[in-house]
Amino acid sequence: MEDKNIIIILVAVIIILAVAVGVMYFQSMNVSEQSIVKITSDNALYEGNDLSVELSDLNKTPISDADIDIVIKDKDGDIVVNGMVKTDSKGKAKLNLDLSKGKYDVEAMFNGNDNFTLSNATQKLTIKEVKTETVSSNDYPEYSADLGYYRSTGITDGEFAVVELASGRQVVIAGDGYYEYNGKDAQGYIITGTFLGHGGQSIAG
């Protein structure tokens, strides 16, 4: 009789252990990795520029084909942009901004999926006005379809050269396209900002 009770107890323990292991297994299968969304564009952009975002995991591995909601509010708290972008193979995405000069609050939100947790990022954004006044070709003697009228600033760094557009905007010309000019670092090297486009794309203004 005692042997029978022992056997019953052992069977019950085995069943309990099997259930516990099964629960832990299924829980581990459903654990989502943490995601990180970042706003990578500058916090000061010109009218018509793009807002850039990036999504990755904790190991900085890009998360592709993911939807990121972008909400932008003006100084009064009114929503002026409520859009969505999808990340590319590098986990990056852009949204063109049709915003006038002013200050805005930006939130980028990834709502998560079966593999990754939700995450968000915020930014205080300043939109600067693009100057449109007529300028003399003597002031900006060089011209290209991409840049419009411009002039050299004399600032160079290897393959980089900084030019000033007729709008007053300073742009870095690089081998792979055009970037915002963000000054120089402590070593005197040019700091590039937002990527503006490849050759053949107009960025004049």
Side-chain angles (χ1 to χ4, degrees):
M1 185 67 178
E2 291 182 359
D3 290 341
K4 184 176 181 181
N5 289 337
I6 292 173
I7 292 173
I8 293 173
I9 293 172
L10 288 175
V11 170
V13 169
I14 291 172
I15 292 173
I16 291 171
L17 289 175
V19 170
V21 170
V23 169
M24 287 189 291
Y25 173 77
F26 283 110
Q27 285 180 338
S28 66
M29 291 291 288
N30 291 324
V31 170
S32 297
E33 293 185 56
Q34 184 174 340
S35 68
I36 301 174
V37 61
K38 295 180 180 179
I39 300 173
T40 55
S41 50
D42 297 334
N43 60 5
L45 300 174
Y46 284 92
E47 294 171 327
N49 280 175
D50 293 332
L51 181 81
S52 301
V53 294
E54 185 174 317
L55 184 65
S56 65
D57 63 17
L58 284 177
N59 297 317
K60 298 184 178 181
T61 302
I63 300 174
S64 61
D65 198 34
D67 293 330
I68 298 178
D69 296 317
I70 296 176
V71 176
I72 302 178
K73 297 179 180 179
D74 63 16
K75 62 181 181 180
D76 297 320
D78 295 326
I79 296 176
V80 293
V81 174
N82 189 359
M84 179 184 289
V85 292
K86 187 178 289 290
T87 57
D88 60 17
S89 60
K90 297 181 180 180
K92 299 179 179 181
K94 291 183 179 182
L95 179 68
N96 185 256
L97 300 179
D98 184 18
L99 296 174
S100 57
K101 177 182 176 181
K103 295 185 180 296
Y104 301 87
D105 292 313
V106 181
E107 181 178 21
M109 169 76 77
F110 171 59
N111 289 309
N113 55 28
D114 292 340
N115 300 313
F116 298 97
T117 61
L118 65 82
S119 58
N120 75 312
T122 59
Q123 182 188 69
K124 297 287 187 181
L125 175 65
T126 298
I127 297 293
K128 298 184 287 186
E129 183 179 8
V130 175
K131 300 176 182 178
T132 57
E133 66 266 20
T134 302
V135 296
S136 168
S137 60
N138 294 326
D139 295 329
Y140 297 90
E142 300 182 69
Y143 178 84
S144 77
D146 295 347
L147 303 175
Y149 286 101
Y150 68 96
R151 64 186 175 193
S152 172
T153 64
I155 302 172
T156 60
D157 176 12
E159 68 170 0
F160 296 148
V162 181
V163 299
E164 182 178 300
L165 307 188
S167 64
R169 182 184 190 183
Q170 290 187 321
V171 172
V172 179
I173 301 176
D176 61 346
Y178 307 106
Y179 295 82
E180 292 281 4
Y181 175 58
N182 281 356
K184 293 184 177 181
D185 62 18
Q187 286 74 45
Y189 294 109
I190 289 174
I191 302 173
T192 56
T194 302
F195 179 70
L196 302 175
H198 300 285
Q201 293 178 279
S202 175
I203 62 167

